Amino acid sequence: MHLTREEERIYNGELGWASQICMRILVKLGDLFGAERLIPIDSAHVSGVSYKTLGNAPTDFLKTLAESGEKTRVESTLNPKSFDPEYLGKRLPEKLLQEQREILRAFEKMGFKQSYTCTPYHLQKVRVGAHLAWAESSAVVYANSILGAMTNREGGPSALAAAIIGKTPDYGIHKPENRKPNILVEVDPPIKYGIEYSALGIFLGRILKDKIPIIKGLKELTEDKLKQLGAALASTGMTNMFYYENELREKSGIEKVNVGRKEIENTIEQLTTTQVPKPDLVFIGCPHCSLQEIKKIAKIVRGKKIKQEIELWICTSRFIREKAADHINELEKCGAKVLTDTCAVVTWTEELGIKTIMTNSAKTAYYAPTLNKADTILAPLEECLKTALEK
Ligand code: F3S
């Protein structure tokens, strides 16, 4: 890799050991993937913020890095942590909260924004054509496919290193020649509902591996549905972007795959692991809810009450919570918990006695059996809310 004189100085440790380590992580990665140079980024987004998913060894590294006094050089945001201050912060064991707070202190010391969301694109304006170093897989697909930005799927350490250096190696999806679609997916009959988008993502992730699809047969191209599709796609595969009908650039000779009703229905069925009629938790907000989603949920629950034996969590970012204050009031009045900074997957639901999670997100339904040791019920938003609400 060719380094500028300034980059070489960092690489050789002239600006301190912390930036040297970060530069070495980036150069190693670049060498591995054949990058010739580093390119400046507009922002970095770090995942692995929750103590539940991070564990102890990376926590020690983070603390040491923060102690060095090293700071981020670009806009740098953080993925959800394991609790929100109002609800889970009062219910979870103090020992776990304490560990989590130490991680947060280290990030804050380095200059990371206390964003704690998997939808950083709701907080910041992302330029078309901007280079980013984002680690949250659902946000990576969203940035590449919907916002027209460019980011590889970073790991936690490489996103952290990019935040500190302000650059990323120029390889993969940063290069226009690697952003070309190479498979056509025809969904027939066309799909319309959020849960179908979600299921399509899980199905495609499994068969596409890292291919970039053009998807035909998406009937409603709302950002929220595309967000669900992208989050699910990234859960089961390595695809980091997709094209959709609006921008169809069909090429002759491109490989084709058909997806029918059976594939969508089977996927939804597989993501439901229990026949229990009543879940302990109904969880909406994976990825974190947008303003539109909050409005939609508020409209459905208006004037109703949550059943005593079921919890309803609606997860969103602090930014959207602030913007949707009136709707949030409505949700809280009915007994829903509107949680910022966290989600059901990255917190300790087991500690709270939650054994069954019902959700409209295929990503949660895919991860919860392993990460939460919970049974799952995947269902459309309306059905999830109906289950949680009193008649
Ligand atoms: Fe976000 Fe948690 Fe889903 S981090 S994408 S809400 S698993």
Side-chain angles (χ1 to χ4, degrees):
M1 244 174 109
H2 171 76
L3 297 184
T4 63
R5 186 166 297 181
E6 179 66 10
E7 288 162 359
E8 247 176 39
R9 287 184 62 218
I10 301 175
Y11 189 88
N12 292 329
E14 288 177 42
L15 273 70
W17 68 265
S19 55
Q20 182 185 34
I21 287 190
C22 292
M23 181 59 90
R24 289 194 170 206
I25 291 174
L26 297 182
V27 170
K28 188 96 197 145
L29 193 65
D31 282 343
L32 211 61
F33 287 98
E36 288 174 2
R37 59 179 187 146
L38 293 174
I39 44 172
I41 50 168
D42 281 19
S43 65
H45 180 78
V46 168
S47 62
V49 175
S50 163
Y51 175 55
K52 175 183 160 185
T53 51
L54 197 63
N56 287 326
T59 304
D60 292 342
F61 172 66
L62 270 178
K63 286 188 211 161
T64 318
L65 202 60
E67 284 310 315
S68 76
E70 199 55 63
K71 300 269 185 242
T72 57
R73 286 182 170 83
V74 288
E75 160 106 359
S76 300
T77 45
L78 296 169
N79 232 25
K81 56 188 168 93
S82 55
F83 66 91
D84 70 302
E86 294 305 317
Y87 185 59
L88 299 174
K90 291 175 183 155
R91 285 188 65 193
L92 289 165
E94 187 50 36
K95 165 109 185 62
L96 296 175
L97 298 175
Q98 202 43 46
E99 296 284 359
Q100 178 70 83
R101 287 191 197 107
E102 286 190 31
I103 294 169
L104 305 183
R105 270 197 288 276
F107 277 123
E108 284 163 27
K109 204 164 179 190
M110 288 186 272
F112 281 87
K113 265 195 175 165
Q114 297 170 48
S115 53
Y116 309 128
T117 181
C118 45
T119 55
Y121 42 85
H122 287 156
L123 272 66
Q124 55 181 280
K125 186 137 182 55
V126 176
R127 273 188 314 118
V128 173
H131 291 284
L132 317 170
W134 286 10
E136 162 56 40
S137 65
S138 66
V140 165
V141 178
Y142 195 93
N144 285 318
S145 317
I146 292 136
L147 304 177
M150 305 184 195
T151 173
N152 286 318
R153 190 187 302 192
E154 303 291 343
S158 66
L160 174 64
I164 298 289
I165 300 297
K167 294 180 179 176
T168 193
D170 186 19
Y171 74 95
I173 219 155
H174 289 286
K175 295 181 128 9
E177 62 269 30
N178 294 332
R179 299 174 66 86
K180 291 188 183 139
N182 44 23
I183 187 161
L184 175 67
V185 175
E186 298 215 44
V187 186
D188 191 22
I191 55 169
K192 192 173 166 189
Y193 301 105
I195 192 175
E196 295 173 328
Y197 279 67
S198 222
L200 175 66
I202 294 286
F203 178 78
L204 290 181
R206 285 180 177 138
I207 62 167
L208 293 184
K209 309 284 186 263
D210 63 351
K211 286 185 190 143
I212 299 178
I214 302 176
I215 309 177
K216 274 176 88 176
L218 307 178
K219 230 174 167 186
E220 284 185 8
L221 294 167
T222 65
E223 287 176 4
D224 288 324
K225 286 177 183 167
L226 296 172
K227 174 181 79 170
Q228 284 293 343
L229 167 58
L233 187 64
S235 303
T236 47
M238 285 312 291
T239 293
N240 286 327
M241 75 178 292
F242 63 87
Y243 293 91
Y244 42 97
E245 213 160 347
N246 260 7
E247 44 180 359
L248 194 61
R249 294 181 239 160
E250 217 166 308
K251 289 197 300 184
S252 57
I254 194 172
E255 186 187 344
K256 285 191 190 175
V257 57
N258 294 311
V259 180
R261 179 111 323 261
K262 198 172 88 214
E263 285 79 11
I264 301 287
E265 280 170 3
N266 285 350
T267 308
I268 295 174
E269 231 169 77
Q270 286 161 11
L271 292 168
T272 293
T273 63
T274 178
Q275 296 310 316
V276 170
K278 261 191 215 151
D280 302 309
L281 169 68
V282 173
F283 165 49
I284 311 294
C286 171
H288 276 174
C289 284
S290 68
L291 185 57
Q292 286 313 318
E293 287 172 309
I294 293 282
K295 281 184 186 169
K296 185 174 176 184
I297 300 165
K299 202 169 158 197
I300 299 175
V301 306
R302 189 166 300 148
K304 305 201 172 109
K305 283 268 169 245
I306 303 295
K307 287 177 188 150
Q308 281 214 330
E309 63 280 20
I310 295 182
E311 292 198 40
L312 171 61
W313 293 3
I314 296 161
C315 291
T316 188
S317 61
R318 297 176 179 194
F319 177 75
I320 296 294
R321 190 187 160 102
E322 251 182 64
K323 280 183 96 169
D326 290 348
H327 304 287
I328 303 288
N329 276 344
E330 205 109 44
L331 295 171
E332 289 179 336
K333 245 193 266 165
C334 91
K337 305 289 178 216
V338 183
L339 310 183
T340 62
D341 303 1
T342 191
C343 80
V345 177
V346 301
T347 194
W348 294 275
T349 45
E350 261 188 297
E351 298 277 340
L352 304 170
I354 292 166
K355 294 191 177 69
T356 307
I357 301 176
M358 184 178 202
T359 180
N360 65 334
S361 162
K363 176 170 179 174
T364 292
Y366 178 74
Y367 282 118
T370 354
L371 293 180
N372 301 75
K373 310 262 180 313
D375 274 318
T376 51
I377 305 167
L378 178 64
L381 173 70
E382 290 75 5
E383 203 179 315
C384 288
L385 294 175
K386 200 172 154 204
T387 305
L389 291 166
E390 281 176 353
K391 292 231 165 62

